[in-house]
Amino acid sequence: MRRPGDAWGRRPGQRQQQPRLFGGGVKGLTGRLSVAVLVLVGCTLWLFSTIGGNRSSFGVEHFDLDKLWGTAPSGGWRPSSSPRSYWPPPPVETNGYLRVRCNGGLNQQRSAICNAVVAARIMNATLVLPELDTNSFWHDDSGFPGIYDVEHFIKSLRYDVRIVESLPETRSHGKTKKMKAYQIRPPRDAPLSWYTTEALKKMKEHGAIYLTPFSHRLAEEVDEPELQRLRCRVNYHALRFKPHIMRLSNAIVSKLRAQGHFMSIHLRFEMDMLAFAGCFKIFTPDEQKILNKYRKENFAEKELEYDTRRAMGKCPLTPEEVGLILRSMGFDNSTRIYLAAGELFGGDRFMKPFRALFPRLENHSSVGPVEKLEENTQGLIGSAVDYMVCLLSDIFMPTYDGPSNFANNLMGHRLYYGFRTIIQPDRKALAPIFIDREKGRLAGFEERVRRVMFNTKFGGPHKRMRPESFYTNSWPDCFCQMSAKSTGNQCPPENVLEVLDSRLQREEDDIPGPAKTSNRTDMVAEEI
């Protein structure tokens, strides 16, 4: 597939030979004027022909859909979050216990779990299995053991931190009671130094601390490459959903893929995001009242003007706009699409234009037949199933990536999972095109959309730029090259896990009895 600029046919370095000028005098002046006119006419014709040629070339230029259904070019990179340097096992004696309560939705909690492991590592703390604040957001009491494979989580991180399922019991004056943890509210985006000073001091005083709430409580950008790779080990290897969620997700993917490729779309056209973005004008007066009420109750007061927000690309794409983008790229109405979305705001009238363009739409409730699918996909479990189906789909398209933990984390996971294709629309660049369309200016609409979409990264390796999150793009931190020019990018030895295992074994040889195997099991193959 050609990259941006290829379709324009530019050839740098070419230079036209200058015409030879006539001599002086009137005759010479006439000659020079004639030449000037000819040159002007020639340049004008050349300019129009070039513009016309470019437009024609761009007009017939299409995306190579066969390539899009595959993976993005890797540039010789592959995912690798194993340690690159000496990585000691967690010490036998720890400084105490760390409890955290992860708030927010499934993917916000996922990031918080990664941060909790890093915090436990730098504090030399024993991590208590993270708590998920399921009731306030999802009205779901599944908790960590109901969503994630606990045994796999502990096993995968045995080289990094010691993990227990609950605080131990203590004996005092002949009585046994559960240890209490000292509660602390950590600062947002706290640096590593806060954990190794303030938090560690309280841990040593009380034996255990409880950090709550624990969302975005550790800075994403840290200067320790091994800690960043630890985050990736947690996110992409240790956090595996429970077997019944994996089976359900695989059943849906098999059903979708039985008829060929399929695309997943995270359609973030939901009340909370529309209220947050301040995108009200396209809704009825009653719907606008609902959005305004939700915004006042849940977000900081701020005057937002729809037309300004719309022009800046701050509004989530409507379902119809998503369909128009895909059609402009060359996808036809036979394309099978899996929709990962909550309840769409505004009713079915917003879905009808999209469904008219792409009638083969599915979600986890409709793709059946899967036994008891509806009752098995509520709350956090439903979000987990959507996550896995989107991860395994051939193409993933987020329609709103800021802030959207689901879309952002999925893009990072697909990047790590072999550079799987991502179609990420540039809403700011597309906004004037859609605004013109709404005003009846339809000329060249699809060409203009294609021109914007040609600049998409499509899920290949690219430099992380603000506001892009580490969880959205962990390249190059969690990747390596087999034939790297820089030593920092070289892949670790193939036997790195054996080395880590032997180090851990040496540490545990001196531990008596049951404690010796409390955080260690035989090596297993890590699966997504």
Side-chain angles (χ1 to χ4, degrees):
M1 182 174 63
R2 292 194 217 175
R3 290 305 180 196
D6 291 353
W8 296 98
R10 295 174 182 148
R11 298 180 62 188
Q14 284 190 331
R15 209 174 155 182
Q16 291 184 345
Q17 191 174 9
Q18 294 295 325
R20 185 176 179 180
L21 298 180
F22 290 94
V26 175
K27 185 177 179 180
L29 178 61
T30 303
R32 285 194 294 273
L33 287 173
S34 300
V35 171
V37 171
L38 288 171
V39 170
L40 180 61
V41 171
C43 288
T44 303
L45 291 172
W46 175 84
L47 180 62
F48 276 105
S49 67
T50 302
I51 294 174
N54 284 339
R55 283 185 175 173
S56 173
S57 174
F58 204 92
V60 299
E61 184 71 61
H62 292 289
F63 288 90
D64 187 337
L65 297 187
D66 287 337
K67 288 186 177 179
L68 286 182
W69 286 120
T71 56
S74 67
W77 293 87
R78 67 176 179 85
S80 175
S81 55
S82 297
R84 304 294 193 272
S85 60
Y86 178 71
W87 186 250
V92 175
E93 297 295 329
T94 68
N95 290 319
Y97 293 88
L98 173 64
R99 283 181 63 199
V100 297
R101 181 177 66 86
C102 307
N103 56 306
L106 179 71
N107 290 281
Q108 185 170 304
Q109 293 171 354
R110 193 179 183 102
S111 302
I113 294 167
C114 298
N115 290 342
V117 173
V118 172
R121 173 74 190 196
I122 62 175
M123 296 169 69
N124 183 25
T126 297
L127 178 66
V128 180
L129 202 65
E131 301 167 23
L132 306 186
D133 180 23
T134 50
N135 288 314
S136 63
F137 190 90
W138 290 104
H139 307 291
D140 181 329
D141 59 0
S142 302
F144 193 106
I147 300 296
Y148 295 108
D149 186 331
V150 173
E151 183 181 356
H152 178 79
F153 181 73
I154 296 173
K155 188 181 298 183
S156 299
L157 297 172
R158 63 193 180 278
Y159 307 119
D160 305 303
V161 291
R162 297 195 175 273
I163 303 172
V164 294
E165 295 192 34
S166 61
L167 284 172
E169 293 181 337
T170 59
R171 288 186 64 81
S172 178
H173 306 293
K175 293 182 178 180
T176 301
K177 59 181 180 179
K178 183 158 286 189
M179 177 186 285
K180 289 185 178 180
Y182 181 80
Q183 186 169 322
I184 307 173
R185 184 184 181 92
R188 188 178 176 88
D189 297 322
L192 297 176
S193 59
W194 182 85
Y195 289 90
T196 55
T197 54
E198 301 296 322
L200 183 57
K201 179 182 177 182
K202 294 297 182 184
M203 178 178 287
K204 289 181 175 180
E205 285 179 14
H206 300 275
I209 58 172
Y210 182 34
L211 303 183
T212 178
F214 196 75
S215 172
H216 306 293
R217 302 294 159 168
L218 176 63
E220 282 193 13
E221 298 298 334
V222 298
D223 294 329
E224 296 288 342
E226 294 299 352
L227 294 180
Q228 296 292 59
R229 284 189 270 273
L230 175 55
R231 275 173 160 157
C232 291
R233 288 200 290 282
V234 180
N235 206 6
Y236 305 132
H237 296 281
L239 283 174
R240 185 169 70 185
F241 295 121
K242 287 185 73 68
H244 73 279
I245 295 176
M246 300 295 283
R247 284 195 299 270
L248 184 55
S249 304
N250 286 329
I252 292 174
V253 170
S254 297
K255 178 73 174 178
L256 291 167
R257 192 160 282 147
Q259 299 180 42
H261 298 295
F262 79 97
M263 174 191 304
S264 62
I265 297 178
H266 185 224
L267 201 55
R268 199 67 168 94
F269 200 71
E270 300 157 352
M271 180 169 65
D272 62 332
M273 195 52 64
L274 290 162
F276 171 82
C279 300
F280 302 166
K281 196 173 179 180
I282 60 175
F283 297 100
T284 66
D286 286 343
E287 289 167 343
Q288 290 185 35
K289 287 179 183 177
I290 294 171
L291 290 172
N292 268 309
K293 182 175 182 293
Y294 187 93
R295 178 169 180 80
K296 288 178 181 178
E297 291 175 353
N298 293 278
F299 303 112
E301 189 172 346
K302 185 179 180 182
E303 193 67 32
L304 300 176
E305 203 277 316
Y306 170 78
D307 290 332
T308 303
R309 303 283 291 174
R310 175 91 164 101
M312 293 169 62
K314 296 293 185 181
C315 292
L317 293 170
T318 68
E320 182 181 21
E321 289 169 347
V322 174
L324 291 170
I325 291 170
L326 293 176
R327 189 178 68 178
S328 297
M329 293 179 69
F331 293 98
D332 60 30
N333 62 3
S334 68
T335 306
R336 193 156 201 180
I337 298 174
Y338 179 88
L339 290 180
E343 184 178 354
L344 267 63
F345 190 76
D348 195 52
R349 74 179 188 277
F350 286 100
M351 278 300 297
K352 283 181 179 177
F354 186 22
R355 196 176 290 112
L357 291 168
F358 295 94
R360 302 185 70 187
L361 301 178
E362 304 280 6
N363 60 30
H364 63 222
S365 297
S366 69
V367 73
V370 178
E371 187 179 0
K372 297 181 180 179
L373 183 59
E374 183 67 33
E375 61 188 76
N376 283 328
T377 52
Q378 302 302 312
L380 282 171
I381 295 177
S383 183
V385 169
D386 277 347
Y387 185 94
M388 284 307 304
V389 176
C390 290
L391 174 63
L392 298 172
S393 64
D394 300 294
I395 296 173
F396 173 64
M397 181 180 184
T399 62
Y400 193 73
D401 55 339
S404 175
N405 292 302
F406 183 94
N408 289 332
N409 284 16
L410 254 171
M411 287 192 286
H413 204 154
R414 287 178 67 88
L415 192 77
Y416 189 85
Y417 192 31
F419 304 106
R420 300 174 78 85
T421 300
I422 300 165
I423 298 176
Q424 187 178 2
D426 183 342
R427 296 191 311 279
K428 186 175 182 180
L430 289 167
I433 304 173
F434 284 120
I435 291 171
D436 282 348
R437 183 178 180 274
E438 291 166 7
K439 293 179 179 178
R441 297 193 284 267
L442 304 178
F445 171 78
E446 290 197 349
E447 285 188 12
R448 293 174 67 192
V449 171
R450 272 200 300 277
R451 189 180 305 174
V452 171
M453 296 308 296
F454 261 99
N455 290 315
T456 302
K457 301 178 188 75
F458 297 112
H462 60 279
K463 185 178 180 181
R464 186 165 64 252
M465 302 285 288
R466 287 188 175 183
E468 196 172 36
S469 161
F470 175 80
Y471 293 103
T472 304
N473 179 13
S474 61
W475 184 87
D477 313 64
C478 297
F479 294 80
C480 67
Q481 284 182 308
M482 296 301 293
S483 303
K485 295 180 180 178
S486 168
T487 55
N489 295 330
Q490 288 178 352
C491 291
E494 292 294 329
N495 68 338
V496 64
L497 291 180
E498 294 177 16
V499 173
L500 293 174
D501 204 48
S502 64
R503 290 174 184 166
L504 185 61
Q505 181 65 59
R506 286 196 299 270
E507 286 285 330
E508 293 184 338
D509 279 343
D510 298 328
I511 306 174
K516 186 172 183 177
T517 57
S518 62
N519 198 50
R520 185 180 181 275
T521 58
D522 294 336
M523 293 179 63
V524 296
E526 293 175 339
E527 300 176 7
I528 293 295

